[in-house]
Amino acid sequence: MDKLNWAILEELQKNARISFSEIGRKIGLTSPAVTERVRKMEDMGIIDSYKVNLSHQKIGYQLRAIITLRAFTGRLKAFLETVKDYKEVVNCYRITGNENIIMEVILRDQVHLEKLIDKLITYGETRTHIVLSNIVKDGPVKKNI
């Protein structure tokens, strides 16, 4: 990873729809050179996807929460197999510490949250935190983290 690849990644993280010619203008490369570098980073798995970020509130999901789960003995494996089917879960991480799992969920309202918690408590003890605002939104990966 050289300085130019990092510059390309910074531009793509700001706007994944930016044209390669526009990136080239910003960082001082030709469009074919940017294209070649991006393709190589895709082939190497450095860039693994391009995606759309939705405004969940504008499509009817007014509530965002962080839920931790401390799995009951013998229930973690079953949870790990089913959590992928929960449409409310937008991020789920297996973590160290007292809890086994931390999830970010989006929900229509408090009733929707209650129904999700009712499903989750069959796997373990939950702790729920309602998100008030997002201070850092999917910040870009930066060189020299």
Side-chain angles (χ1 to χ4, degrees), residues 89-137:
V89 177
V90 293
N91 286 302
C92 182
Y93 304 97
R94 191 166 175 188
I95 59 171
T96 61
N98 290 331
E99 288 87 11
N100 306 97
I101 300 292
I102 188 167
M103 295 170 274
E104 179 183 4
V105 300
I106 56 163
L107 308 133
R108 289 182 300 279
D109 51 30
Q110 289 84 349
V111 173
H112 192 178
L113 173 60
E114 183 178 13
K115 288 178 183 178
L116 177 62
I117 291 171
D118 287 345
K119 290 180 197 176
L120 295 174
I121 61 176
T122 65
Y123 297 102
E125 179 183 323
T126 64
R127 191 174 293 174
T128 303
H129 308 272
I130 303 298
V131 173
L132 299 176
S133 63
N134 189 347
I135 308 306
V136 177
K137 183 173 179 154

Side-chain angles (χ1 to χ4, degrees), residues 21-131:
S21 60
E22 180 63 23
I23 293 172
R25 277 191 290 280
K26 289 183 174 200
I27 68 169
L29 284 178
T30 65
S31 179
V34 172
T35 302
E36 182 180 336
R37 286 173 173 266
V38 169
R39 297 292 177 245
K40 283 182 181 176
M41 287 189 280
E42 289 171 344
D43 291 344
M44 294 171 61
I46 293 168
I47 298 172
D48 69 0
S49 68
Y50 300 88
K51 59 185 172 182
V52 173
N53 291 319
L54 300 175
S55 170
H56 294 107
Q57 285 185 325
K58 290 183 180 178
I59 59 173
Y61 291 84
Q62 302 300 313
L63 190 62
R64 183 178 296 264
I66 304 297
I67 301 175
T68 60
L69 176 78
R70 183 176 184 181
F72 296 138
T73 303
R75 295 294 290 155
L76 181 59
K77 185 177 179 182
F79 172 79
L80 294 174
E81 291 170 359
T82 61
V83 68
K84 296 171 188 144
D85 297 330
Y86 292 168
K87 292 177 180 18
E88 300 90 350
V89 177
V90 293
N91 286 302
C92 182
Y93 304 97
R94 191 166 175 188
I95 59 171
T96 61
N98 290 331
E99 288 87 11
N100 306 97
I101 300 292
I102 188 167
M103 295 170 274
E104 179 183 4
V105 300
I106 56 163
L107 308 133
R108 289 182 300 279
D109 51 30
Q110 289 84 349
V111 173
H112 192 178
L113 173 60
E114 183 178 13
K115 288 178 183 178
L116 177 62
I117 291 171
D118 287 345
K119 290 180 197 176
L120 295 174
I121 61 176
T122 65
Y123 297 102
E125 179 183 323
T126 64
R127 191 174 293 174
T128 303
H129 308 272
I130 303 298
V131 173

